[in-house]
Amino acid sequence: MSTPSLTHATLTRPTPRTGLSIGLFAIGGFAVLTTEFLILGLLPALARDLGLSVAGAGQLVTLFAVTVMLFGPPLTAWLSAMPRKGLFIAILLVFAASNALSALATNIWVLALARFIAALALPVYWGTASESAGQLAGAGREGWAVSRVYLGITAAFVFGIPLGTLAAGLVGWRGSFALLAGLCLLVALLMWAWLPTVPAAPARAPGERQTVILKDRRFIAHVLLSALVFTAMFTAYTYLAETLEQLAAVPTGEVGWWLMGFGVVGMLGNGLAGRIVDRSPLRATLLLLAMLALGMGAVTPLIDTAWLLGGALVLWGIAYTALFPVCQVRVMQAGAKAQALAGTLNVSAANAGIAAGAALGGVAIQALGLGALGYVACGFAVLAMIATLAMLASE
């Protein structure tokens, strides 16, 4: 059975059942990404309960990112031939079990094990869900489909992480993990009931292996570009709450609402990504990087004027959210011979960028002060723009 690749240009209209399936992928993505980032809001509470420093507990974030980066590609290559419906259900059950174990953890080692298990499954989900959504949507609609799946990311940042953090104030950090475990179990049941049979991987020539894309220099360049893009994004975003509180003098109790507003604006970015990415992923990347650089770089000089600061955050939020699906589609298109593996490699590159951005942002704050952070992040975005221009010139 042949399946469309990301290079086809003929448009097909998705059926209602296809829309439902892609919606389920997005809901699954919401649960998966909330699992990854919810811990950021829970670190102080769980550190106190487990007798750790916040910095020590923060190593759980590093563990998750490094696990995704190292194990995602080989696991996806191994599991992508499985029937997709069963694979997605199994992944959501793994996340349910991981969150349940987190809720029961009595020390850092049990919690680390729970996070490690979830980190193994996360890149497999994003890689295979992105590929399956593209297959179901049809030729010429793959970018639209992936952007819809990535609505789960936007929703996680807008609702999942803030609400999970607020819930911890009512039921404790263990209660937040328990609620998330229940959500993952519910999504698994919904997929079992409503998700149609999804084909595994696209047909390949006899003897052709997914890893053939690793020999393609153009593909490797796209993966490295994603790592640089996410470094630029997370150099500043990791410390956005601190920037709002310390530089913009936003009251501590209101910072969460500002972050939620940042995420709500990001929904516009998700819609923008779906409209422009299928035309030219590289040109879309260039446009969004320019918006990102301008938004991040403008925050500090505009920090004392609320409406101008809001404008900079709007520009930043739109570009930030749009770059998630645009990078995924761009890398999947470059690795069309093995889209699931390509998508997972992009997730690994993104996590490498997240870890690098957080580390470099911390170094910049210590060396130059919080006020310089936006300029440093803007510099990384400009470097990514230069790399994108070079790749466009070589096409």
Side-chain angles (χ1 to χ4, degrees):
M1 176 180 174
S2 63
T3 54
S5 74
L6 286 167
T7 58
H8 289 171
T10 303
L11 292 176
T12 57
R13 183 176 296 276
T15 65
R17 188 66 182 268
T18 294
L20 174 62
S21 299
I22 293 173
L24 287 173
F25 292 152
I27 294 171
F30 170 83
V32 165
L33 195 87
T34 301
T35 296
E36 179 176 7
F37 288 112
L38 174 63
I39 196 170
L40 295 176
L42 306 181
L43 281 179
L46 69 86
R48 286 193 301 270
D49 283 358
L50 299 179
L52 305 167
S53 67
V54 172
Q59 298 308 306
L60 292 168
V61 179
T62 303
L63 170 67
F64 200 104
V66 171
T67 302
V68 170
M69 180 178 64
L70 295 179
F71 292 96
L75 278 174
T76 301
W78 179 42
L79 296 172
S80 63
M82 289 182 60
R84 290 293 167 84
K85 180 173 180 177
L87 178 62
F88 294 138
I89 293 171
I91 289 172
L92 266 299
L93 291 176
V94 166
F95 269 88
S98 168
N99 284 310
L101 182 60
S102 294
L104 298 172
T106 55
N107 56 60
I108 186 66
W109 302 110
V110 175
L111 191 54
L113 175 62
R115 302 293 293 169
F116 176 75
I117 293 170
L120 291 175
L122 179 139
V124 180
Y125 181 85
W126 283 116
T128 52
S130 297
E131 182 185 45
S132 295
Q135 289 176 251
L136 289 171
R141 301 280 295 184
E142 297 91 347
W144 170 87
V146 173
S147 71
R148 291 302 181 271
V149 174
Y150 269 60
L151 276 173
I153 286 182
T154 306
F157 280 115
V158 175
F159 303 113
I161 297 167
L163 290 177
T165 304
L166 291 173
L170 300 175
V171 296
W173 65 270
R174 296 180 188 278
S176 288
F177 276 121
L179 289 171
L180 193 51
L183 174 63
C184 292
L185 181 59
L186 175 61
V187 176
L189 291 173
L190 290 174
M191 286 188 169
W192 173 76
W194 295 104
L195 190 66
T197 300
V198 183
R204 298 182 179 87
E208 185 178 358
R209 298 178 60 85
Q210 292 194 66
T211 51
V212 70
I213 61 175
L214 300 179
K215 300 177 182 178
D216 184 345
R217 292 183 179 179
R218 177 175 170 272
F219 172 75
I220 297 300
H222 276 276
V223 173
L224 293 175
L225 176 59
S226 284
L228 183 55
V229 168
F230 275 81
T231 298
M233 290 164 60
F234 278 84
T235 295
Y237 179 78
T238 304
Y239 304 97
L240 177 55
E242 185 76 1
T243 298
L244 291 170
E245 186 173 337
Q246 298 300 324
L247 297 184
V250 175
T252 302
E254 297 179 13
V255 170
W257 294 107
W258 279 71
L259 293 178
M260 190 173 290
F262 184 89
V264 169
V265 167
M267 290 184 172
L268 299 175
N270 194 278
L272 175 63
R275 289 179 177 273
I276 66 176
V277 67
D278 282 318
R279 301 173 188 173
S280 173
L282 270 176
R283 286 185 173 83
T285 301
L286 184 63
L287 170 64
L288 294 169
L289 281 170
M291 294 170 59
L292 182 75
L294 183 59
M296 294 188 304
V299 165
T300 296
L302 302 179
I303 203 76
D304 294 324
T305 308
W307 69 273
L308 290 176
L309 173 61
L313 290 173
V314 166
L315 196 62
W316 179 1
I318 289 173
Y320 170 87
T321 304
L323 280 164
F324 277 87
V326 166
C327 284
Q328 186 79 343
V329 172
R330 177 175 50 75
V331 174
M332 287 173 64
Q333 185 182 81
K337 291 182 178 179
Q339 292 177 5
L341 178 58
T344 299
L345 283 165
N346 180 67
V347 173
S348 294
N351 275 269
I354 290 170
L360 292 169
V363 170
I365 291 172
Q366 290 182 338
L368 303 172
L370 187 60
L373 187 61
Y375 302 131
V376 174
C378 177
F380 284 123
V382 170
L383 288 177
M385 290 174 64
I386 294 171
T388 304
L389 286 169
M391 293 171 67
L392 277 168
S394 67
E395 284 189 342

